[in-house]
Amino acid sequence: MNKDILKKAFLKLCTAKAMTELYEENFKQVSKYVHATSRGHEAIQVALGMQLLPQDYAFPYYRDDAMLLSFGLEPYDLMLQLLAKRDDPFSGGRTYYSHPSLKDDDKPKIPHQSSATGMQAIPATGVAMGMQYKELQGLNDSKIENPISVCSLGDASVTEGEIAEAFQMAALKQMPILYLVQDNGWDISANAEETRAQNAAEYAVGFHGLEAISIDGANFIESYETLEKIIKTIRKERRPFLVHAKVPLLNHHTSGVRMEWYRDDLEEARSRDPYPVLIQQLLDNGFTEDEVKMIENGAKEKVVSDFKKALKAEDPKPEDLFTYDFISTPITEEKGIREPEGADKVVMVDCALFAVEELMREHKECLVYGQDVGGRLGGVFREAATLAQKFGDQRVFNTPIQEAFIVGSTVGMSAVGLKPIVEVQFADYIWPGLNQLFTEVSRSCYLSNGKWPVSMILRVPIGAYGSGGPYHSSSVESVITNIRGIKIAYPSNGADLKGLMKAAYHDPNPVVILEHKGLYWSKVPGTITATSKEPAEDYVLPFGKAWVLQEIWKQENVETLTVVTYGMGVHWAYNASGELDMRDQIEIIDLRTLYPLDEDTIMKSIKKTGKCLVVTEEPSNNSFARALAGKIQEECFRYLDAPVMTIGSENMPAIPLNSTLEQTMIPSTEKVKVKIEKLLDY
């Protein structure tokens, strides 16, 4: 083998080994924060890292410090993260050792990933899907060699269900991705015999089109040469591979879980150490023992020097906590024509459809995917009707039934510069996607120190309508609003939906749009006001700006109140105030967005009226609405003439199928009227 390659590889392996040993020698000093190291895995990691190019995307996992060194990072860089220092180049001291996020021009790109094992497979596959899309659309840079995506996994994580979703899509669509599975035979204290029916290569056989190869990952030359052929093939043929590399784990699972507590195979593992294997390969290729020793000593000196420097580095300041939860959006004001002269009124679902069509026409980076949104159906609510016919099956396409992939792949799509608009068919089915929404999508910007915001739109049809039953009728906004790092819209009419959709597209942050399916066509009695004149193409509506749709003046001798609501609740409140003939006593605030929340408009109104009712379709116990009521009570206590009240669905586990039971469960205009009268009479 080329001597320069061997020399560089040995230097990286020596450096990673020296770091492990230094961490053990200084255990009390470095174990304030949990860390894991690559000891035993170094050969395969270095063999891969040395062959990736700056245009490639890599998703290392938490044991891959040797891989990071082979990308060109210094021990000092990794130690800044080990010690959670302010200048940690990945996260600014926010996340664990060997949890990289990198956007350097001269190195492979590393989007943020969480500690949740296996979760990186979907974002990494999303990158490959984005690469494929850009090639098909002519958006890639033809002057550089074809990029690839690389996902590093531990064998134990391959038992995760979300791995299957990633493998399925990579095989189905023939994406340019390499899954490197490092198999050390252990989870934490559970070994392979206890937890796996087969290894990763055997498992991959079931995914036709995903070629799998097993190698000795402790042998550098075997690893390098095998990966060299595979990477060359992926660059040329644009298809997926899985490499199952058998390696020993020669250090603790993490600094907090010591190997002596449970391991009974340490001697056997040490017999497969890649370090002496690589030394012998150097000697066999003409290196002298003195040259080998010189490389070893140089690596140790560098590690010690960098550690001393890292210990002196500055810690984060308290104010550093409050940066990069979001990237600034360019849409801060309502602009454009909301009600064009002569425009027809259209239903809410069509306002969104036309918004997406306009965006896709203008931006080739925009694409739509999800279950049944393709050309045959155009969505179960026809919310994507005609889009596939107009823009082609590459830009509007069906996915398998896999909500985790739909949500999590947007991390990778966004990372390569695309803007995916995706959907789950019903709010009831968002649960499999919550793992990705929480661990990968919502935290990427914050934990990468602003390098990798996830620019995506997730559309979620929501709410009860027409006896949808217990699995097609749920409201889930309280769960979604408890995920920090995402923006959430819940419009009540078509014009707002179109304006918010446009704002969401131009927002560099992740956006969830909750769309009440009972308002889509205004078929529910009393919801005709959800229809709108279709706003002009230039209309945008910023997030965080509530609408006082029914405004009153301050009155001293008449009881007044504010209704704070969103979605279907807007129509219940508006109709209730009309039927009570109290439109001049009841101010109605349509929140439009649940995050950011327009607290100024809410509090200003309640200080004027003195009473407040929060209306939601969710069961009110432990809900977003009840939390908002508490916030109002806290902020406006001395202005209130009555307790802040809420009304929502009955606190039952699910919405029944029977129409009588459904109506008994959820709020209505009549129920809101009763609550208003009770509050006004208080």
Side-chain angles (χ1 to χ4, degrees), residues 33-67:
Y33 307 113
V34 172
H35 66 270
T37 70
S38 59
R39 190 70 190 95
H41 293 229
E42 302 98 332
I44 185 65
Q45 290 182 20
V46 172
L48 173 66
M50 287 175 61
Q51 300 189 61
L52 297 188
L53 303 174
Q55 62 265 36
D56 295 329
Y57 281 68
F59 289 74
Y61 81 130
Y62 60 80
R63 198 177 300 285
D64 285 350
D65 57 7
M67 188 185 299

Side-chain angles (χ1 to χ4, degrees), residues 394-622:
Q394 295 169 0
R395 294 189 67 191
V396 183
F397 57 88
N398 295 328
T399 66
I401 302 171
Q402 41 180 230
E403 289 81 5
F405 185 88
I406 291 167
V407 174
S409 61
T410 64
V411 176
M413 298 291 267
S414 172
V416 298
L418 302 175
K419 183 77 178 200
I421 300 176
V422 300
E423 70 166 65
V424 295
Q425 275 190 350
F426 294 91
D428 302 76
Y429 301 138
I430 198 172
W431 308 111
L434 281 186
N435 202 354
Q436 289 289 327
L437 189 63
F438 176 75
T439 63
E440 312 302 324
V441 174
S442 72
R443 296 179 166 197
S444 181
C445 183
Y446 187 68
L447 293 180
S448 69
N449 237 14
K451 291 190 294 295
W452 295 104
V454 179
S455 187
M456 58 86 87
I457 300 172
L458 172 60
R459 299 180 66 184
V460 184
I462 193 171
Y465 159 65
S467 297
Y471 294 102
H472 298 80
S473 307
S474 297
S475 294
V476 299
E477 59 264 30
S478 291
V479 174
I480 306 303
T481 52
N482 266 287
I483 300 176
R484 278 72 179 178
I486 58 175
K487 297 185 179 182
I488 305 155
Y490 200 149
S492 67
N493 61 79
D496 283 358
L497 178 52
K498 183 171 185 181
L500 290 166
M501 184 73 74
K502 290 293 184 76
Y505 183 84
H506 295 290
D507 198 312
N509 304 287
V511 174
V512 176
I513 302 182
L514 304 173
E515 305 172 18
H516 199 294
K517 61 183 191 289
L519 300 178
Y520 267 156
W521 301 285
S522 291
K523 289 183 178 179
V524 176
T527 62
I528 191 63
T529 49
T531 62
S532 312
K533 280 189 174 183
E534 188 200 345
E537 188 167 347
D538 66 347
Y539 180 66
V540 291
L541 183 61
F543 277 58
K545 302 285 187 183
W547 177 33
V548 185
L549 71 93
Q550 184 166 287
E551 189 170 6
I552 65 173
W553 63 95
K554 185 171 178 61
Q555 302 169 61
E556 300 296 344
N557 301 317
V558 178
E559 292 294 317
T560 57
L561 72 83
T562 299
V563 177
V564 180
T565 187
Y566 53 92
M568 184 65 82
V570 172
H571 301 275
W572 292 325
Y574 184 75
N575 295 332
S577 69
E579 291 181 17
L580 289 168
D581 196 21
M582 289 182 173
R583 293 204 192 278
D584 58 354
Q585 291 175 254
I586 300 170
E587 187 153 292
I588 301 174
I589 296 176
D590 181 351
L591 294 177
R592 288 172 163 165
T593 64
L594 308 187
Y595 193 87
L597 186 64
D598 187 353
E599 293 187 13
D600 289 344
T601 297
I602 297 168
M603 304 310 170
K604 181 181 176 182
S605 174
I606 292 156
K607 289 174 183 178
K608 174 175 63 177
T609 64
K611 293 181 179 179
C612 178
L613 174 64
V614 183
V615 179
T616 179
E617 189 174 313
E618 279 193 301
S620 58
N621 280 5
N622 306 312

Side-chain angles (χ1 to χ4, degrees), residues 233-428:
T233 302
I234 298 174
R235 292 200 195 282
K236 181 180 179 182
E237 299 181 11
R238 317 307 280 154
R239 61 188 177 94
F241 278 79
L242 181 144
V243 172
H244 169 246
K246 191 69 178 170
V247 292
L249 179 60
L250 301 181
N251 198 40
H252 313 291
H253 169 74
T254 65
S255 55
V257 182
R258 315 296 285 174
M259 57 188 172
E260 297 89 355
W261 297 348
Y262 61 90
R263 293 280 296 276
D264 55 9
D265 67 337
L266 290 174
E267 286 306 313
E268 188 277 332
R270 288 171 186 137
S271 72
R272 295 185 287 119
D273 188 342
Y275 188 67
V277 174
L278 184 50
I279 288 177
Q280 188 59 51
Q281 290 173 340
L282 263 69
L283 297 175
D284 291 345
N285 280 271
F287 285 84
T288 67
E289 291 186 1
D290 287 344
E291 287 175 310
V292 169
K293 187 59 68 177
M294 186 180 300
I295 295 170
E296 287 178 316
N297 291 338
K300 289 177 183 178
E301 289 171 8
K302 170 69 171 171
V303 166
V304 170
S305 173
D306 280 10
F307 184 60
K308 289 177 180 177
K309 187 166 68 165
L311 287 172
K312 296 176 183 177
E314 184 182 13
D315 285 321
K317 300 179 185 298
E319 57 266 28
D320 294 334
L321 175 69
F322 302 101
T323 58
Y324 298 120
D325 51 343
F326 293 100
I327 297 296
S328 296
T329 175
I331 308 298
T332 57
E333 298 294 334
E334 185 174 6
K335 292 182 180 178
I337 303 172
R338 182 179 173 95
E339 295 189 347
E341 191 174 338
D344 293 330
K345 274 202 166 186
V346 295
V347 293
M348 190 169 169
V349 71
D350 284 345
C351 275
L353 175 63
F354 299 151
V356 174
E357 181 178 334
E358 289 165 1
L359 289 166
M360 294 188 72
R361 199 163 53 231
E362 185 178 354
H363 304 282
K364 214 169 182 181
E365 297 81 12
C366 180
L367 70 162
V368 173
Y369 58 94
Q371 295 167 31
D372 298 304
V373 301
R376 290 193 193 91
L377 187 59
V380 295
F381 298 106
R382 306 295 287 156
E383 71 282 1
T386 74
L387 292 180
Q389 289 81 359
K390 291 175 180 175
F391 298 104
D393 294 337
Q394 295 169 0
R395 294 189 67 191
V396 183
F397 57 88
N398 295 328
T399 66
I401 302 171
Q402 41 180 230
E403 289 81 5
F405 185 88
I406 291 167
V407 174
S409 61
T410 64
V411 176
M413 298 291 267
S414 172
V416 298
L418 302 175
K419 183 77 178 200
I421 300 176
V422 300
E423 70 166 65
V424 295
Q425 275 190 350
F426 294 91
D428 302 76

